[in-house]
Amino acid sequence: MMARKIVLFSIWIAFTSYTISLAPLDQPDTWPLVQKLLTLQWADINAIIVSIFWFMGIWPMIFACLMFADGKMQKKRAWPSWVASNGMGIIGMTPYLLLRESNQEFDGKKDKLLRSLDQRSTGIALLFTTLGLFAYAFIAGNWGDYVQQFQTRAFVHLISLDFCLMCLIFPITSLFDDDMARRGLKDARIFWAVALVPLFGPLIYLCLRPPLPEVEIGRQQESPLPAMS
């Protein structure tokens, strides 16, 4: 557990320092590109860059399907890091992963948000969205232009690295192990099947995992009364 946190902390510090050194927000071409990506003005943007940008919206949703249920059992709430991750990627996500304690229990009822995030249909929707983005990148993308922009534009460079690091940290954090344990999944082969397939492994896991069991807080198990003679 501690070894995992050391690895996560090292990745977080290294990438945060690297991002600050590149200062993407100070580059004059960053904000016009972000505005076009957010407003779906994609005509003059490489489809690969469009897809990577929106993959960085898929990853927070994947983590949300695990971390909001986990956050109910933690002293530190999940939503601040989740909100930050939508704009800062791994830089915003990692503090929660570092500060949370391993917990393989879930007590209480699922509210509307947790019920929605727990549904297999949510995982299926994310999977098909991801497949659509991959198809768009491969059909309409220009790989030579992408490599050039990766080398010359700080924003493209950093979101590409951020995407790769999101794939890397998913199996490193104990968040995934704990989610499996809450659902009664003990087979290590499931862990490795998900961990070794970047992005699609977690998405397929969300599509196939059993529902999170609900436990009513304060429920007492009644022991059978002794027979009356």
Side-chain angles (χ1 to χ4, degrees):
M1 181 66 180
M2 183 55 64
R4 287 184 173 194
K5 289 196 173 186
I6 292 173
V7 172
L8 281 172
F9 183 72
S10 300
I11 292 172
W12 182 61
I13 286 293
F15 187 65
T16 301
S17 301
Y18 188 58
T19 299
I20 293 172
S21 71
L22 291 182
L25 298 183
D26 292 339
Q27 306 296 324
D29 60 348
T30 296
W31 286 114
L33 176 59
V34 172
Q35 184 178 13
K36 288 182 178 180
L37 288 167
L38 290 173
T39 57
L40 309 184
Q41 300 176 47
W42 300 346
D44 60 344
I45 303 177
N46 192 326
I48 299 171
I49 296 172
V50 172
S51 296
I52 292 174
F53 178 81
W54 287 103
F55 286 150
M56 295 312 299
I58 295 290
W59 266 119
M61 288 304 303
I62 292 173
F63 274 96
C65 292
L66 280 65
M67 65 191 292
F68 277 96
D70 178 76
K72 285 195 68 176
M73 314 309 299
Q74 301 286 335
K75 294 179 180 179
K76 177 178 174 57
R77 295 305 181 192
W79 67 265
S81 283
W82 183 81
V83 170
S85 71
N86 282 273
M88 302 170 65
I90 191 175
I91 296 175
M93 178 69 71
T94 306
Y96 176 77
L97 303 178
L98 288 171
L99 295 174
R100 67 174 295 273
E101 298 295 331
S102 181
N103 187 299
Q104 300 183 350
E105 303 292 335
F106 179 80
D107 292 331
K109 294 289 186 179
K110 291 181 284 188
D111 57 22
K112 290 183 179 180
L113 174 62
L114 293 185
R115 200 173 296 278
S116 174
L117 294 173
D118 198 46
Q119 291 177 348
R120 291 180 177 179
S121 59
T122 300
I124 292 171
L126 291 172
L127 176 61
F128 276 95
T129 301
T130 301
L131 288 171
L133 289 169
F134 261 101
Y136 178 58
F138 277 99
I139 293 171
N142 183 325
W143 287 97
D145 174 71
Y146 167 70
V147 171
Q148 182 182 15
Q149 293 202 52
F150 176 83
Q151 295 172 339
T152 58
R153 301 184 75 169
F155 179 75
V156 174
H157 184 80
L158 289 171
I159 64 170
S160 300
L161 293 181
D162 206 342
F163 169 75
C164 294
L165 290 175
M166 281 288 198
C167 296
L168 177 64
I169 70 168
F170 183 84
I172 291 178
T173 172
S174 61
L175 181 68
F176 174 40
D177 307 59
D178 291 348
D179 190 77
M180 286 182 57
R182 291 188 191 105
R183 299 167 194 276
L185 301 174
K186 306 293 186 181
D187 194 337
R189 291 174 298 180
I190 297 175
F191 174 88
W192 289 111
V194 172
L196 296 177
V197 183
L199 185 58
F200 285 101
L203 286 169
I204 293 172
Y205 172 72
L206 296 182
C207 295
L208 299 178
R209 65 181 181 171
L212 185 68
E214 294 180 294
V215 178
E216 186 176 351
I217 297 176
R219 184 178 61 188
Q220 297 180 349
Q221 294 184 347
E222 295 183 1
S223 57
L225 295 175
M228 301 291 292
S229 57

